[in-house]
Amino acid sequence: MTKIFISCALPYANGPCHLGHLRSTYIPADIYARYNRMAGNDVLMVCATDEHGTPIAVKADAEGKEPIEVAKRYHDMIVEDINSCDISFDNFARTTDEIHYQISQNFFKYLYDKGLIYEETIQQLYCENCEKFLPDRYVEGICPVCGAEARGDHCEVCGRALDPIELVEPKCLTCGNTPVIRDSTQYFFKLSHFQKPLEEYISTNPYLPPNVRNYAQNWLKEGLQDWIMTRDMKWGIPVPLEGAEGKVIYVWGEAFIGYMSSAAAWSRRTGIPWEDYWNGHVVHFIGKDIIYHHSLFWPAMLLGRDCKLPDDIFAGEFLSLEGRKMSTSKNWVVWVADFVKDFDSDLLRYYLTINAPLNKDTDFSWDEFQRRVNDELADVIGNFLHRTFTFTNKFFDGKVPEYKNPSEADLEFEQAIRELPDKVGDLIADMKFREGLVEIILTAKKGNKYFNDQEPWKAVKEDMEKASNCLYLSNQLCKAMAVLLKPYIPNKADAICEIINIPTENTWDDAKVFLETGHEINKAKPLFKKIEDKVIEEQKEKLYKNLETQENESKDDKKSKESKDDEGEKMDLISIDEFAKVEIKIGKILECEKIEKSNKLLRTQIDIGDKTIQVIAGLGKRYAPEYLVGKMVPVVTNLKPAKLMGELSEGMIMATESAAILTPDDCEIGELLM
């Protein structure tokens, strides 16, 4: 028996759950946990709400409430959402629990005492009116790249990650005052110290899926930079050091520890050591937007704390909605609470699993949801179950008939039934959840074909042995599916068990044990009803109405209220004439150096052919200055010059949101991009 520690990414407590959360994280984790419990492994599955950070504090300020009140409200919503979809956590905690504070502070202090956390003076925005330093979400201003309104950490228009001191015309979100730049002492974690051990961990770990491995290796290629671990705030876990009053541990410096503190809370309740599970097999289920946090930052912290590293980091890709990226700010989203009011949660679990493999982005479509439910659950599985149970009750007094002198068709179908449990189990164990479900559907299709070919409605009059064999084997497949569907659609699986008259608590190997001749079953009940067109049309109308209402409101208030985990939104289209105004040239970086007291900004001199320009680039967290010297980069050269930290910036190096630069090494200096 293997001990398995399963965790899910902590949902941020400033909004309820939407379908994207379930698809990428909670449903796959639950399938894996349920299967392993049934397979005889000892599973501990934990999670918690992530309740610190600036977005919650900002929301609380806007509502005139304490942050803990906001966090508690959304914690309760999230718990209700998770329970409504039968996610079988052993413990679901909060990062505001006392035990989490204790473990997080001890973790921080251990790293500090070991010399892995150090002090450094940097420059930050300070509001003289509020008399406080301003964390990123407490600042709004103009994006230095595109000129749009932006918040301190991110521009929604051009997608750039920002540092508050980069903003043009910054304003304090609380009072509207213009902040000033002041020196601030913060604590940094020596992430760079773990470059080589992390390279080895990522390259040699056999469990890491390709999307996680590739993403992490791209970051490692550029060289890891030390990571700021503190903020000047009241809301958060206080830094446990003398002289650090008013500073809290950065939310990403303690949120990971929520896995351990939730497990520790479970240990206090049960008396079972959670460490035994961590020292077994550890699996983190996350969304792809936090891969580098879990594959680099968290393992580095664990290495520093002398802890075992996670074995598997399974990152689900994004879910879009009706062909558009989900956006909580535009209300282009389906909330879990709304969905389960109108539909059985098992239908959602089924659709989000069968629609696409988790290593690919996929789309939630109401029409496709209807088709899958009607064509697969109702017409394939439901039809086979109902026909089997109805015919057994009608022609064999509700008892499993005898099985004698099987034909070639009987033996072929019997083999398919006996092979199914191992096929599905192996796929789930290998994290191929969709493929396991597909095997069940394919076998149910074989069952329907077998049933039709055997024609038991005729055979009962002409060849009772043939009819008897058909219903014997059909009941065996029903029994196998009752067990094998439990990780996927637990409520419907229990309902099948009740009709078959077997316990709802099963081991995985129970699917291999055939029902005995004479076993009594109950009367058939409709398990999967088809969804009517008008029901789907109502859902689509509601969705588009929400979008229209939000867009109308946004004309008066352009400030975004997106949650931390918002997966982005579709950009407005621009004309080719507007795009033609942007001048992008290939340049060569001649010089590059860090800007003093900034851990992100680099001062570069770039040859663009006809002249050399200075560009201030926010690439310092990803690239060492010496790495960039000599690099060919695409540069926007006709931007209006702006000052960042008092330095003139005459262009913009094109890079991704994660600060990965585009490197057109085969181009000529000064060459225009078309």
Side-chain angles (χ1 to χ4, degrees):
M1 180 175 67
T2 301
K3 288 188 182 294
I4 302 176
F5 188 107
I6 301 174
S7 73
C8 290
L10 309 190
Y12 203 55
N14 71 334
C17 291
H18 57 65
L19 302 193
H21 297 123
L22 291 176
R23 193 261 174 176
S24 67
T25 306
Y26 307 119
I27 290 176
D30 191 57
I31 293 170
Y32 187 70
R34 286 177 181 270
Y35 162 74
N36 275 287
R37 292 185 189 115
M38 294 174 71
N41 292 319
D42 192 0
V43 172
L44 173 59
M45 185 166 79
V46 298
C47 193
T49 40
D50 183 359
E51 301 188 11
H52 297 121
T54 51
I56 290 174
V58 169
K59 187 183 281 280
D61 287 348
E63 295 180 8
K65 296 182 177 179
E66 291 298 318
I68 191 66
E69 296 178 74
V70 173
K72 174 67 165 62
R73 180 170 78 238
Y74 288 115
H75 167 84
D76 292 344
M77 287 184 186
I78 291 166
V79 168
E80 189 172 340
D81 289 339
I82 286 171
N83 289 340
S84 73
C85 293
D86 301 289
I87 310 300
S88 57
F89 286 117
D90 294 293
N91 197 70
F92 192 89
R94 305 175 61 183
T95 59
T96 50
D97 291 339
E98 181 182 353
I99 191 171
H100 179 73
Y101 273 57
Q102 293 172 353
I103 294 175
S104 297
Q105 288 180 322
N106 289 341
F107 207 111
F108 186 98
K109 187 69 164 52
Y110 186 96
L111 296 176
Y112 179 81
D113 290 342
K114 201 173 176 183
L116 294 171
I117 291 179
Y118 62 91
E119 293 182 36
E120 184 172 309
T121 300
I122 61 172
Q123 289 192 320
Q124 288 187 294
L125 293 179
Y126 181 87
C127 179
E128 294 175 314
N129 186 50
C130 297
E131 298 183 336
K132 65 179 182 182
F133 283 100
L134 301 178
D136 44 25
R137 293 289 184 99
Y138 273 89
V139 187
E140 290 185 343
I142 305 299
C143 175
V145 177
C146 69
E149 292 182 3
R151 66 190 190 206
D153 64 339
H154 180 71
C155 175
E156 295 166 4
V157 176
C158 68
R160 283 294 177 138
L162 300 172
D163 189 305
I165 60 176
E166 296 178 294
L167 290 177
V168 179
E169 299 177 11
K171 299 289 182 186
C172 172
L173 188 62
T174 303
C175 70
N177 191 49
T178 299
V180 297
I181 295 177
R182 284 192 182 180
D183 287 349
S184 171
T185 299
Q186 299 295 341
Y187 293 85
F188 284 75
F189 174 62
K190 290 184 178 179
L191 183 62
S192 58
H193 178 76
F194 297 96
Q195 175 83 28
K196 290 197 178 298
L198 286 174
E199 286 176 352
E200 182 179 357
Y201 167 65
I202 295 298
S203 63
T204 63
N205 186 345
Y207 297 105
L208 289 183
N211 62 337
V212 173
R213 191 187 312 280
N214 294 340
Y215 199 100
Q217 285 178 334
N218 285 337
W219 272 77
L220 286 164
K221 251 182 232 179
E222 312 301 342
L224 297 178
Q225 304 294 315
D226 290 352
W227 180 36
I228 189 169
M229 283 281 279
T230 54
R231 294 287 189 272
D232 290 294
M233 291 181 66
K234 293 180 180 178
W235 179 240
I237 299 177
V239 173
L241 299 175
E242 190 175 339
E245 292 76 14
K247 298 187 188 300
V248 299
I249 303 172
Y250 176 41
V251 65
W252 275 115
E254 47 91 2
F256 305 114
I257 300 169
Y259 305 142
M260 292 180 168
S261 63
S262 182
W266 174 83
S267 287
R268 284 188 178 181
R269 190 176 74 247
T270 63
I272 303 170
W274 68 269
E275 295 89 347
D276 292 347
Y277 295 85
W278 188 273
N279 291 324
H281 187 79
V282 179
V283 185
H284 292 323
F285 284 87
I286 62 171
K288 74 173 182 180
D289 55 329
I290 52 176
I291 287 177
Y292 71 94
H293 298 83
H294 283 78
S295 61
L296 300 175
F297 295 175
W298 177 225
M301 290 172 62
L302 290 169
L303 285 168
R305 188 64 179 82
D306 305 313
C307 294
K308 175 183 176 292
L309 300 187
D311 297 284
D312 198 347
I313 302 169
F314 191 84
E317 302 286 317
F318 285 150
L319 178 73
S320 58
L321 176 60
E322 297 289 351
R324 299 169 59 124
K325 289 184 179 180
M326 285 196 193
S327 171
T328 57
S329 66
K330 287 183 176 290
N331 209 9
W332 188 254
V333 67
V334 176
W335 301 107
V336 172
D338 291 336
F339 186 97
V340 297
K341 286 177 187 174
D342 299 322
F343 301 98
D344 190 311
S345 63
D346 273 5
L347 304 186
L348 180 62
R349 290 175 64 109
Y350 176 81
Y351 176 68
L352 292 180
T353 303
I354 199 71
N355 202 33
L358 279 165
N359 59 2
K360 294 181 180 178
D361 288 345
T362 191
D363 185 62
F364 182 95
S365 159
W366 279 112
D367 289 333
E368 183 66 4
F369 168 72
Q370 179 192 25
R371 185 192 71 77
R372 290 277 193 181
V373 170
N374 291 352
D375 293 356
E376 295 168 358
L377 283 179
D379 284 348
V380 176
I381 292 181
N383 182 50
F384 180 77
L385 292 167
H386 194 266
R387 289 203 295 177
T388 298
F389 299 147
T390 300
F391 273 70
T392 303
N393 276 287
K394 184 175 181 179
F395 297 115
F396 296 96
D397 298 324
K399 297 178 181 178
V400 176
E402 291 184 322
Y403 185 57
K404 292 181 178 179
N405 304 315
S407 66
E408 187 176 333
D410 294 334
L411 292 172
E412 183 181 341
F413 186 44
E414 180 185 354
Q415 183 179 356
I417 297 169
R418 293 191 183 279
E419 290 175 350
L420 186 61
D422 284 340
K423 278 186 180 179
V424 177
D426 289 346
L427 288 166
I428 295 177
D430 199 29
M431 304 290 188
K432 296 178 180 177
F433 308 118
R434 176 183 182 271
E435 291 81 354
L437 192 50
V438 166
E439 283 294 331
I440 297 174
I441 295 293
L442 290 175
T443 307
K445 286 182 177 179
K446 287 180 184 177
N448 278 311
K449 184 179 185 305
Y450 168 79
F451 201 97
N452 290 338
D453 291 346
Q454 299 305 301
E455 299 180 313
W457 56 91
K458 283 186 182 179
V460 291
K461 301 173 184 176
E462 303 168 0
D463 187 347
M464 184 55 76
E465 188 174 87
K466 180 179 180 181
S468 178
N469 286 351
C470 174
L471 269 300
Y472 174 86
L473 290 176
S474 294
N475 274 286
Q476 307 308 336
L477 178 56
C478 291
K479 193 252 180 152
M481 289 196 297
V483 177
L484 304 182
L485 286 170
K486 190 66 176 278
Y488 293 104
I489 47 175
N491 293 321
K492 294 299 184 185
D494 284 350
I496 300 170
C497 288
E498 288 168 3
I499 296 173
I500 298 175
N501 198 22
I502 61 173
T504 56
E505 294 295 324
N506 311 107
T507 69
W508 195 256
D509 283 345
D510 286 340
K512 302 177 183 179
V513 180
F514 276 24
L515 297 167
E516 294 183 358
T517 296
H519 177 87
E520 293 189 16
I521 67 167
N522 296 314
K523 288 185 178 180
K525 296 177 183 177
L527 293 171
F528 301 102
K529 295 180 180 179
K530 289 195 173 185
I531 301 172
E532 297 180 6
D533 291 346
K534 67 177 183 179
V535 173
I536 295 301
E537 289 304 315
E538 288 172 1
Q539 294 295 333
K540 290 195 287 187
E541 287 175 12
K542 183 166 63 175
L543 180 63
Y544 280 93
K545 186 177 180 180
N546 288 344
L547 179 64
E548 182 181 353
T549 300
Q550 192 66 31
E551 286 179 342
N552 288 337
E553 290 176 356
S554 69
K555 291 177 182 178
D556 300 321
D557 181 10
K558 293 183 179 179
K559 292 180 180 178
S560 171
K561 297 177 183 178
E562 285 189 344
S563 300
K564 174 186 174 182
D565 58 354
D566 191 348
E567 295 175 9
E569 57 188 65
K570 190 174 182 178
M571 285 189 177
D572 294 331
L573 298 177
I574 63 171
S575 70
I576 190 67
D577 292 334
E578 289 176 290
F579 178 73
K581 295 177 182 177
V582 181
E583 182 180 86
I584 305 173
K585 290 184 177 181
I586 301 300
K588 182 177 182 179
I589 300 178
L590 304 177
E591 300 176 18
C592 184
E593 59 184 343
K594 283 189 174 183
I595 292 180
E596 189 179 354
K597 297 181 180 178
S598 172
N599 66 327
K600 179 178 179 180
L601 295 181
L602 301 177
R603 182 191 301 106
T604 66
Q605 302 296 324
I606 303 178
D607 179 1
I608 58 171
D610 56 342
K611 61 180 177 179
T612 297
I613 63 173
Q614 176 169 288
V615 175
I616 308 302
L619 306 174
K621 287 186 177 180
R622 181 149 187 167
Y623 299 98
E626 57 271 19
Y627 174 85
L628 293 176
V629 174
K631 284 286 183 185
M632 305 284 281
V633 291
V635 186
V636 179
T637 56
N638 63 337
L639 286 176
K640 184 182 294 186
K643 281 198 171 184
L644 305 178
M645 287 192 69
E647 299 280 352
L648 184 68
S649 184
E650 301 172 284
M652 179 187 75
I653 296 174
M654 297 189 70
T656 67
E657 185 176 355
S658 65
I661 58 171
L662 309 178
T663 54
D665 293 326
D666 294 332
C667 299
E668 297 292 330
I669 295 174
E671 188 175 352
L672 278 168
L673 267 67
M674 304 299 291

